[in-house]
Amino acid sequence: MQITSPDFKQNARIALQDVGLQKALGNVKTGFPHKRATAMARLPEFDQLRDEARDLKNHIIENLDLYLEAFESKVLENGGHVHWCRTSEDARKTILKICQEKNAKTVTKGKSMVTEEINLNEYLEANGVTPVETDLGEYILQLRGEHPSHIIAPAIHLNLEDVSETFHANHHKPKSMDPAVLMQEAREELRNKFVAADVGITGANFLVAETGSSIIVTNEGNGDLTQILPKTHIVVTSIEKVVPTLEDMTLFLRLLARSATGQEFTVYNTLSTGPRREGDQDGPEDYHVVLVDNGRSEMIASELREMLRCIRCAACMNHCPVYGAVGGHSYGWVYPGPMGSVLTPQMIGIEKGALLPNASTFCGKCESVCPVRIPLPKLMRYWRRNEFEKHLTPKAARWGIGVWGFFAKRPALYRQLSSFSNLALRTLGGKKARINKLPLASGWTDGRDMPAPSGKTFMQLWSEKQKNGASS
Amino acid sequence: MNTNKNQPVVGLFITCLADLYRPEVGFATVKLLEQSGCRVDVPTQQTCCGQPAFNTGDYSTTADIARQTIAAFDGFEYVVAPSGSCIGMLHHYPELFEDNDPWKARAEDLKKRAFEITSFLVDVLKIDDFKVDSNAPAFNGSVTYHDSCSGLRELGIKAQPRQLLAKVDGVELKEMEESETCCGFGGTFCVKYPDISNRMVGNKTQNIVDAGAKTLLGGDLGCLLNMAGKLQREGHAVEVRHVVEILAGMTDQPALGEAQSSVKAG
Ligand code: SF4
């Protein structure tokens, strides 16, 4: 996947003008937050669960090696295989190797952001294995040659008309605007592919150390067919997904569903625990878990550690006014919104990702809804500091802060500067008391007026008042 | 003016924007504090809270400014500002210093003493018989209130201004949709990402206008300047004021960005 994060500003400008996208984004802003709020209101202990989840995640991260090893030994005991992959490339190669050993022509895939992160589809395709996305949203995107714009609702940037056209062009059936008809079409197309697939690849929402299970949650049931029908099931996931016990898992499932879609529970919660055993009716013959690190173990030792608590619920982006304005593709890589603004620089480098953690007003809404209480603004600020210390901050901004800082550290001069700016702004404002074109702040005045100061500075007036002895 | 020994001594942190754009906000804050029995002084060694540097990642400049602010307000029982955002920044100061740095303890101490004005009146002074100065011109009309982000989420300011406004005769509060959604100001954000900022404030003004109130109030001048500028550009008649202007009975001044001549009586 091509990285366009360095073009964030331009991406955003285009997105703001995109009528279809803006219409689609309207649904994110109203739909998800409302559903979450309703679900929360029905669970009085929600905030307490968030505290528990935060503490449990901290404990897991603290002992990540132990839980991962426990998970591994359970998987082996159950007859499965575990592959440890430090980089995206290791993971891609490992997965391809398994596919090649099975002579796989096609693989079906459940929704997985980690496979997006490691750019798996393009790689498989280039090596003669055809991946077939089976999540409806992902399926639509695959037909369109696009990537997800949201971590749980990948095609949220599209409208019904877009889907209708895409299906018409690919399925060669009469054009329909009826969601039920479109769904049926997708179902028919996918059914054969499910049956024909040699390998099924899914992600995992959680890995359970106590049993060696992985779990995926879906609302379509496509994950079940992906992992049960083919002879080989590969779980591709990242190391921070492990939880100690099944009971711990349910704590996170309760928070995940409510934070994500406002459901009390996701429709399908599918656990898989190793290959088919004797007497089992179905299930794969071979079961592999590919554990991807890709910079995560580095995060444990850094100030970004708290980000590893993330359970990928998307509440932060659903509530983010910046995401709501520009959509997920503007962020230019796999993970959008506040969580992406923290993760992306870690994974593609701050040099390329710096515009993302800067694209926040620090309004704090994301932190206020995060089920595991990740201080997202603080972590975005970490990146800004990192950027500044590496001298990557754009020159104009660095210079601006330098000049401003010079004055801010000298109170007497600062007051003179304020008085001067105050007079200048008042002069520009004239009788109207507002400015509609300010050369150095055209970004502001292109879209709005700038109210002019209403009088001298407070400090001037205050000291005049003190001198006149007029203090009350 | 009584000068009793138990009078709380408050240092006014004026904040850059109130200083530069709207001195009335400073005087209204002083008036409210004095009316509530405080002695107010304005230390001259103060400048900015340091937020622009902090949010740009320049921690060394931020720490310099923090030390200067801490020193400027030494000896004051309380530090009060007409801004949740700037007080929120003062609350970040301890993060700037290592544990063994003596400035850390001083920063922690400042944090305990620093309050936004409405929160100070309600939470610290616990004024429950709040009254607007009876000599002040009466304010009559409907208002809607924007909850600025830092005040709301860092300092828990939501009920306080509403509680005080409820005591003002003639004020009718008409809540807008999404009063807690960011207006898109964000300090340096509106300069770095003007297009996005402009869209966010456009969404905001839509909600403000839909609320149908005569006046928009808030507790942070940055947000208010942003929303006032947008409302005016879009040609809406909603006037914009800092909440202290109403509370202090200082609405005889033109609203933000309004010319002297357009002042209406009453
Ligand atoms: S950062 Fe928090 S809110 Fe955002 S996706 Fe992760 S868990 Fe959900």
Side-chain angles (χ1 to χ4, degrees):
Chain A
M1 166 174 189
Q2 209 198 334
I3 297 170
T4 68
S5 307
D7 305 322
F8 176 81
K9 287 190 186 188
Q10 204 185 325
N11 298 346
R13 205 166 301 137
I14 295 167
L16 286 165
Q17 303 304 329
D18 184 333
V19 180
L21 173 66
Q22 290 299 322
K23 182 177 158 207
L25 286 172
N27 305 332
V28 184
K29 279 188 284 189
T30 48
F32 286 127
H34 179 74
K35 287 181 188 146
R36 174 188 175 275
T38 313
M40 233 188 94
R42 281 204 302 259
L43 189 70
E45 67 269 36
F46 191 76
D47 275 332
Q48 194 190 324
L49 295 181
R50 292 169 73 190
D51 291 339
E52 277 175 36
R54 174 200 55 208
D55 296 347
L56 179 54
K57 270 281 179 184
N58 285 345
H59 163 83
I60 295 168
I61 296 163
E62 200 92 3
N63 300 283
L64 194 58
D65 49 343
L66 294 179
Y67 286 119
L68 284 171
E69 279 170 13
F71 171 78
E72 179 187 38
S73 58
K74 271 289 167 193
V75 174
L76 297 179
E77 210 175 284
N78 298 334
H81 310 271
V82 176
H83 309 266
W84 302 80
C85 300
R86 183 158 286 281
T87 63
S88 295
E89 201 192 344
D90 293 347
R92 285 192 298 262
K93 283 189 177 153
T94 305
I95 297 162
L96 179 66
K97 192 159 163 264
I98 303 169
C99 292
Q100 284 170 339
E101 278 166 11
K102 303 289 168 188
N103 273 324
K105 301 269 171 324
T106 63
V107 304
T108 41
K109 283 186 68 211
K111 208 188 86 56
S112 147
M113 291 310 290
V114 174
T115 62
E116 292 285 338
E117 179 186 320
I118 65 172
N119 214 358
L120 183 63
N121 284 7
E122 278 169 38
Y123 183 78
L124 289 180
E125 215 141 8
N127 286 283
V129 180
T130 309
V132 180
E133 295 290 352
T134 66
D135 169 90
L136 182 60
E138 291 271 11
Y139 173 71
I140 296 164
L141 295 184
Q142 195 176 24
L143 292 179
R144 295 170 64 92
E146 291 180 8
H147 289 279
S149 66
H150 188 279
I151 61 172
I152 64 159
I156 198 86
H157 58 285
L158 299 176
N159 293 299
L160 183 59
E161 303 87 78
D162 304 313
V163 180
S164 166
E165 256 159 49
T166 305
F167 278 15
H168 178 61
N170 286 277
H171 296 162
H172 312 294
K173 296 224 171 91
K175 203 164 165 180
S176 169
M177 283 289 280
D178 180 352
V181 172
L182 294 170
M183 208 109 85
Q184 191 52 35
E185 267 183 42
R187 203 169 272 147
E188 280 162 22
E189 290 287 328
L190 284 172
R191 188 95 343 167
N192 297 330
K193 298 189 167 149
F194 276 125
V195 177
D198 307 295
V199 171
I201 296 179
T202 65
N205 292 91
F206 302 101
L207 302 171
V208 185
E210 134 183 90
T211 57
S213 312
S214 64
I215 180 168
I216 49 171
V217 303
T218 73
N219 281 314
E220 296 168 16
N222 61 307
D224 298 46
L225 297 177
T226 305
Q227 64 186 38
I228 288 171
L229 295 178
K231 287 204 171 122
T232 305
H233 176 200
I234 309 176
V235 177
V236 182
T237 191
S238 49
I239 54 173
E240 82 284 10
K241 300 274 167 69
V242 71
V243 300
T245 66
L246 284 169
E247 190 156 338
D248 296 330
M249 176 191 77
T250 60
L251 166 66
F252 291 113
L253 290 179
R254 295 174 79 193
L255 284 169
L256 175 61
R258 287 177 172 86
S259 304
T261 52
Q263 288 166 289
E264 275 170 15
F265 228 59
T266 315
V267 178
Y268 296 87
N269 291 262
T270 313
L271 285 143
S272 46
T273 310
R276 176 196 300 217
R277 294 160 304 183
E278 246 188 61
D280 279 354
Q281 303 271 333
D282 51 25
E285 288 166 13
D286 242 339
Y287 176 80
H288 296 264
V289 181
V290 176
L291 288 173
V292 181
D293 181 328
N294 202 21
R296 288 169 176 80
S297 50
E298 247 173 64
M299 288 166 71
I300 298 179
S302 82
E303 286 175 56
L304 296 175
R305 168 195 274 240
E306 293 186 85
M307 194 62 217
L308 292 171
R309 293 204 295 264
C310 177
I311 57 170
R312 305 290 192 268
C313 72
C316 55
M317 61 197 74
N318 293 341
H319 290 78
C320 175
V322 174
Y323 179 96
V326 303
H329 285 155
S330 297
Y331 291 78
W333 196 59
V334 176
Y335 298 110
M339 56 85 78
S341 298
V342 176
L343 276 178
T344 305
Q346 171 70 20
M347 294 182 175
I348 67 171
I350 183 66
E351 295 78 5
K352 287 188 202 146
L355 285 175
L356 309 188
N358 278 288
S360 162
T361 61
F362 286 151
C363 79
K365 185 76 191 171
C366 48
E367 178 174 0
S368 78
V369 295
C370 176
V372 283
R373 301 199 190 279
I374 298 174
L376 293 150
K378 181 176 139 197
L379 301 184
M380 286 187 251
R381 196 182 282 111
Y382 160 85
W383 279 122
R384 296 190 192 183
R385 180 181 189 181
N386 189 287
E387 180 196 20
F388 190 86
E389 284 169 1
K390 286 188 175 149
H391 288 264
L392 296 166
T393 308
K395 282 214 178 62
R398 202 179 171 91
W399 181 83
I401 283 293
V403 172
W404 168 88
F406 176 86
F407 284 97
K409 287 187 253 178
R410 292 167 178 79
L413 272 183
Y414 192 79
R415 278 199 298 283
Q416 283 178 22
L417 177 69
S418 301
S419 309
F420 171 78
S421 315
N422 169 281
L423 184 61
L425 287 168
R426 271 191 289 147
T427 310
L428 283 169
K431 276 214 193 74
K432 268 176 52 202
R434 68 181 83 135
I435 301 153
N436 49 30
K437 218 174 169 116
L438 198 58
L440 283 174
S442 61
W444 178 294
T445 53
D446 280 350
R448 58 214 123 168
D449 290 353
M450 166 85 75
S454 53
K456 290 187 193 173
T457 69
F458 175 84
M459 287 305 218
Q460 283 174 305
L461 294 170
W462 180 259
S463 84
E464 284 169 16
K465 209 173 149 192
Q466 302 296 309
K467 275 195 205 110
N468 297 339
S471 162
S472 48
Chain B
M1 191 77 222
N2 55 341
T3 47
N4 108 42
K5 267 219 239 97
N6 297 329
Q7 244 185 334
V9 181
V10 175
L12 174 72
F13 186 53
I14 180 62
T15 76
C16 306
L17 292 176
D19 182 40
L20 180 62
Y21 280 95
R22 203 147 173 87
E24 297 91 327
V25 168
F27 287 108
T29 307
V30 172
K31 184 173 171 186
L32 286 169
L33 289 168
E34 290 184 340
Q35 198 177 294
S36 313
C38 303
R39 193 146 59 80
V40 183
D41 198 4
V42 185
T44 54
Q45 289 306 298
Q46 60 174 304
T47 62
C48 170
C49 63
Q51 220 171 144
F54 189 51
N55 289 347
T56 307
D58 181 354
Y59 277 42
S60 127
T61 301
T62 316
D64 286 343
I65 294 172
R67 280 185 284 262
Q68 176 178 287
T69 310
I70 293 167
F73 286 95
D74 255 348
F76 285 96
E77 214 172 328
Y78 297 107
V79 182
V80 173
S83 159
S85 162
C86 307
I87 292 296
M89 181 64 219
L90 264 50
H91 285 214
H92 280 293
Y93 284 177
E95 296 163 33
L96 297 164
F97 305 106
E98 300 290 337
D99 283 344
N100 55 8
D101 185 335
W103 283 99
K104 174 121 182 167
R106 293 182 70 182
E108 290 285 2
D109 183 62
L110 178 77
K111 178 175 172 178
K112 282 189 213 120
R113 293 182 283 127
F115 296 91
E116 182 271 350
I117 177 69
T118 63
S119 154
F120 184 69
L121 295 176
V122 173
D123 304 330
V124 180
L125 298 182
K126 305 206 189 299
I127 297 193
D128 38 34
D129 56 347
F130 176 79
K131 271 199 198 71
V132 181
D133 171 8
S134 52
N135 300 321
F139 176 88
N140 270 308
S142 51
V143 301
T144 191
Y145 200 90
H146 166 68
D147 297 290
S148 287
C149 302
S150 314
L152 175 71
R153 299 196 185 87
E154 292 183 7
L155 306 173
I157 296 166
K158 171 88 188 178
Q160 299 88 329
R162 288 172 176 78
Q163 225 165 294
L164 296 169
L165 283 170
K167 303 265 170 68
V168 183
D169 289 336
V171 167
E172 182 202 353
L173 181 63
K174 291 184 175 173
E175 295 283 4
M176 67 174 105
E177 288 287 319
E178 298 185 40
S179 69
E180 296 184 0
T181 298
C182 180
C183 73
F185 173 66
T188 51
F189 176 83
C190 68
V191 185
K192 286 191 284 188
Y193 300 87
D195 305 315
I196 305 175
S197 169
N198 188 38
R199 172 61 52 88
M200 287 164 71
V201 71
N203 295 341
K204 195 80 213 179
T205 51
Q206 184 66 53
N207 283 324
I208 294 167
V209 171
D210 289 347
K214 170 184 148 191
T215 306
L216 166 69
L217 299 178
D220 263 283
L221 263 180
C223 318
L224 293 170
L225 287 164
N226 184 34
M227 293 181 289
K230 188 67 180 175
L231 285 164
Q232 283 156 356
R233 176 64 58 90
E234 290 175 337
H236 298 298
V238 183
E239 57 166 43
V240 181
R241 292 183 185 278
H242 193 290
V243 64
V244 293
E245 298 174 38
I246 302 270
L247 298 176
M250 289 172 58
T251 50
D252 45 349
Q253 324 262 3
L256 262 178
E258 278 191 13
Q260 205 74 37
S261 58
S262 72
V263 188
K264 291 153 235 124

